[in-house]
DNA sequence: GCCAACGTTGGC
DNA sequence: GCCAACGTTGGC
């Protein structure tokens, strides 16, 4: 089973916000990067688990776990001129941007800080720790998944 | 708020 | 298609 790490700024959308959503499920919208779009289109499947990662936060780090509960479908915010991530290039006939729905599974007792991820030898190859890594969804191996769970 | 590392845009 | 300018991300 594949695992993922999905970034959000908690001031924008936190794991508590996700928990409060109807059915504790929300559309993970706003992705406007082709590499991430391709991951959503080609790799992410219903039932996959993902870490909820806080970026630009105090502290930045892993806040909990969620599950992918939909297949990819067009991101409606791309069609909305009022939306922050409106993209006129994406049309109903030919949508560019995709998203999946995610469901709250668990909030960790604490945010596992980035500093501790960096310090863990088992996570030396974790995508998010690579220099300049800016993709908002990145893969996590089963071994890395277990290593992060062990840090909670 | 700084700034390095990226991605995107657009002139040519 | 090159690449400089610009915008964004995200740790610190």
């Amino acid at each position: 089973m594949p695992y993922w790490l999905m970034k959000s700024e908690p001031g924008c959308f936190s794991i508590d916000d996700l928990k409060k959503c109807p059915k504790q499920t929300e559309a993970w919208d706003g992705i406007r990067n082709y590499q991430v779009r391709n991951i959503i289109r080609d790799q992410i499947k219903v039932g996959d688990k993902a870490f909820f990662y806080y970026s630009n936060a105090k502290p930045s780090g892993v806040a909990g776990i969620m599950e992918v509960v939909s297949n990819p479908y067009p991101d409606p915010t791309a069609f909305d001129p009022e939306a922050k991530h409106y993209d006129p290039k994406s049309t109903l006939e030919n949508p560019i941007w995709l998203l999946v729905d995610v469901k709250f599974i668990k909030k960790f007792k604490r945010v596992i800080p980035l500093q501790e991820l960096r310090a863990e030898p088992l996570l030396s190859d974790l995508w998010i720790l690579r220099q300049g890594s800016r993709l908002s969804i990145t893969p996590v191996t089963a071994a890395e998944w277990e290593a992060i769970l062990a840090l909670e």
Side-chain angles (χ1 to χ4, degrees), chain A residues 76-88:
Chain A
T77 67
F79 308 133
D80 177 5
E82 303 297 318
K84 182 182 176 189
H85 297 291
Y86 172 60
D87 185 352

Side-chain angles (χ1 to χ4, degrees), chain A residues 15-57:
Chain A
I15 196 161
D16 296 308
D17 296 329
L18 177 61
K19 191 177 182 180
K20 279 184 266 182
C21 287
K23 299 183 183 176
Q24 299 189 326
T25 297
E26 182 61 293
W28 197 267
D29 62 16
I31 287 171
R32 299 293 181 267
N33 173 288
Y34 284 100
Q35 279 180 266
V36 179
R37 190 278 310 268
N38 293 346
I39 287 173
I40 293 173
R41 185 187 60 193
D42 304 331
Q43 296 187 251
I44 291 188
K45 306 293 181 205
V46 172
D48 287 358
K49 299 269 180 29
F51 285 124
F52 196 125
Y53 178 86
Y54 285 174
S55 62
N56 259 320

